[in-house]
């Protein structure tokens, strides 16, 4: 079941809601530059196991509205709050991949974890995706600037290059094309704006504000969000557990989808 939720007077967010009668909900936040459809291989299985799976397309991406401004983590976290309020959700597992993980972390700090009983982070782009003077982990800032430049000059090529480093396991050409089309569905300005957010915002203080049990899944071969960021998250989030995925890159939810689903369910049921 899909529908829209208004988060601002002129902005609606698309929500996919599977098995809505279940009281055991997982709210999924996708990464850049995809949509809720990245979690297809979770949505295929988890509702059959009794879970309510809610996937939102963050503003600017997928089937959501694509305003020209407001792509900072505060705005994106406030959109999540609107969804949680509108659906009257409580005691949910908030699950975020990559940029979606960063949004989930900001949500937990900014809204004091409202409605969330557990947090699951998958290759979260936090506390900083880029290296900084006192933070040697992450990507070089120049790498992100090249992504932004590529977005403005040849977005299809930028997306194709990004797709080539996303997964560790072999993917078919058909799957690669599917992944590419998800990225094209986003607005170019939103694609660039989120990349700018990686540079302009940090989440160091946010990590310490998380008070719920937290699962961290991270592929050791991740070329997008280096594995060391997952280690930093575990060190700075109380009551967190890092599960390294030894045969995964950035897309753990597909590279090792059976193990991914098993670890997520085991964590929720603990």
């Amino acid at each position: 079941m899909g529908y829209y939720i208004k988060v601002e007077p002129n902005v609606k967010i698309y929500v996919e809601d599977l098995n809505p009668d279940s009281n055991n909900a997982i709210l999924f936040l996708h990464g850049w530059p995809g949509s809720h459809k990245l979690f297809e291989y979770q949505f295929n299985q988890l509702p059959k196991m009794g879970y309510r799976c809610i996937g939102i397309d963050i503003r600017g991406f997928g089937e959501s509205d694509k305003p020209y401004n407001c792509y900072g983590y505060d705005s994106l976290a406030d959109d999540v709050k609107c969804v949680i309020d509108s659906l009257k959700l409580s005691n949910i597992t908030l699950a975020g991949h990559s940029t979606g993980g960063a949004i989930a972390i900001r949500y937990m700090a900014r809204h004091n974890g409202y409605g969330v009983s557990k947090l699951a982070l998958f290759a979260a782009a936090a506390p900083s995706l880029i290296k900084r003077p006192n933070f040697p982990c992450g990507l070089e800032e120049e790498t992100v600037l090249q992504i932004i430049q590529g977005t403005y000059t040849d977005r299809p090529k930028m997306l194709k290059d990004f797709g080539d480093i996303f997964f560790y396991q072999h993917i078919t050409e058909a799957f690669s094309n599917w992944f590419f089309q998800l990225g094209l569905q986003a607005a170019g300005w939103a694609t660039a704006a989120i990349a700018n957010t990686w540079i302009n915002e940090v989440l160091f203080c946010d990590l310490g504000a998380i008070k719920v049990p937290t699962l961290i899944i991270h592929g050791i071969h991740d070329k997008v969000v280096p594995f060391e960021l997952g280690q930093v998250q575990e060190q700075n989030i109380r009551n967190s557990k890092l599960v390294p995925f030894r045969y995964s890159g950035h897309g753990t939810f597909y590279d090792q989808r059976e193990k991914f689903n098993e670890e997520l369910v085991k964590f929720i049921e603990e």
Side-chain angles (χ1 to χ4, degrees):
M1 178 168 61
Y3 44 79
Y4 287 89
I5 290 174
K6 182 182 289 187
V7 296
E8 289 178 6
N10 296 309
V11 181
K12 299 186 302 297
I13 295 296
Y14 180 78
V15 177
E16 189 75 35
D17 193 352
L18 302 172
N19 197 21
D21 292 332
S22 170
N23 292 321
N24 205 344
I26 311 168
L27 177 58
F28 289 87
L29 306 178
H30 66 84
W32 177 99
S35 72
H36 76 278
K37 293 180 179 178
L38 285 174
F39 295 111
E40 174 175 338
Y41 297 90
Q42 286 63 59
F43 294 170
N44 285 347
Q45 302 300 327
L46 297 179
K48 291 190 290 189
M49 302 169 69
Y51 295 98
R52 179 182 183 182
C53 290
I54 306 165
I56 75 171
D57 289 348
I58 67 173
R59 61 170 62 203
F61 295 80
E63 298 179 48
S64 287
D65 286 345
K66 299 170 173 64
Y68 203 76
N69 299 307
C70 297
Y71 289 94
Y73 288 140
D74 284 355
S75 294
L76 299 170
D78 290 350
D79 290 347
V80 175
K81 178 67 159 53
C82 286
V83 171
I84 288 175
D85 283 341
S86 296
L87 299 182
K88 298 179 171 59
L89 300 176
S90 62
N91 294 316
I92 68 168
T93 298
L94 182 60
H97 172 251
S98 196
T99 296
I103 297 166
I105 290 169
R106 174 56 55 84
Y107 175 86
M108 298 301 293
R110 183 170 171 83
H111 296 290
N112 198 30
Y114 175 81
V116 177
S117 60
K118 291 190 175 183
L119 178 66
L121 303 173
F122 320 130
S128 172
L129 183 58
I130 65 168
K131 296 177 181 177
R132 299 182 187 273
N134 297 316
F135 188 69
C137 307
L139 305 177
E140 298 291 342
E141 182 176 343
E142 179 61 29
T143 300
V144 176
L145 292 173
Q146 289 172 0
I147 287 174
I148 295 169
Q149 181 64 22
T151 301
Y152 285 133
T153 57
D154 190 342
R155 186 163 67 106
K157 182 181 186 304
M158 182 280 294
L159 291 172
K160 181 66 169 62
D161 292 343
F162 184 72
D164 288 344
I165 66 168
F166 198 94
F167 301 98
Y168 178 69
Q169 300 285 348
H170 170 75
I171 59 172
T172 63
E173 183 179 355
F175 188 93
S176 177
N177 290 337
W178 170 82
F179 182 80
F180 175 67
Q181 291 299 324
L182 293 186
L184 281 181
Q185 196 176 7
W189 57 86
T191 303
I194 291 291
N196 272 302
T197 297
W198 300 334
I199 296 174
N200 295 330
E201 296 202 36
V202 294
L203 296 146
F204 293 100
C205 294
D206 302 71
L207 296 179
I210 296 170
K211 301 172 185 176
V212 301
T214 302
L215 171 68
I216 302 166
I217 289 176
H218 215 119
I220 66 171
H221 302 286
D222 197 328
K223 295 180 180 179
V224 179
V225 179
F227 178 73
E228 58 192 353
L229 289 183
Q231 296 174 310
V232 171
Q233 293 159 26
E234 183 184 36
Q235 293 164 6
N236 288 275
I237 300 175
R238 296 186 298 274
N239 196 16
S240 65
K241 178 177 74 169
L242 172 63
V243 179
F245 272 38
R246 303 197 176 279
Y247 306 102
S248 288
H250 193 52
T252 51
F253 50 83
Y254 185 74
D255 276 335
Q256 292 181 261
R257 50 197 173 277
E258 291 182 2
K259 178 176 173 61
F260 182 98
N261 293 347
E262 289 170 2
E263 291 289 349
L264 180 57
V265 167
K266 182 170 71 174
F267 167 69
I268 294 171
E269 297 298 328
E270 284 176 346

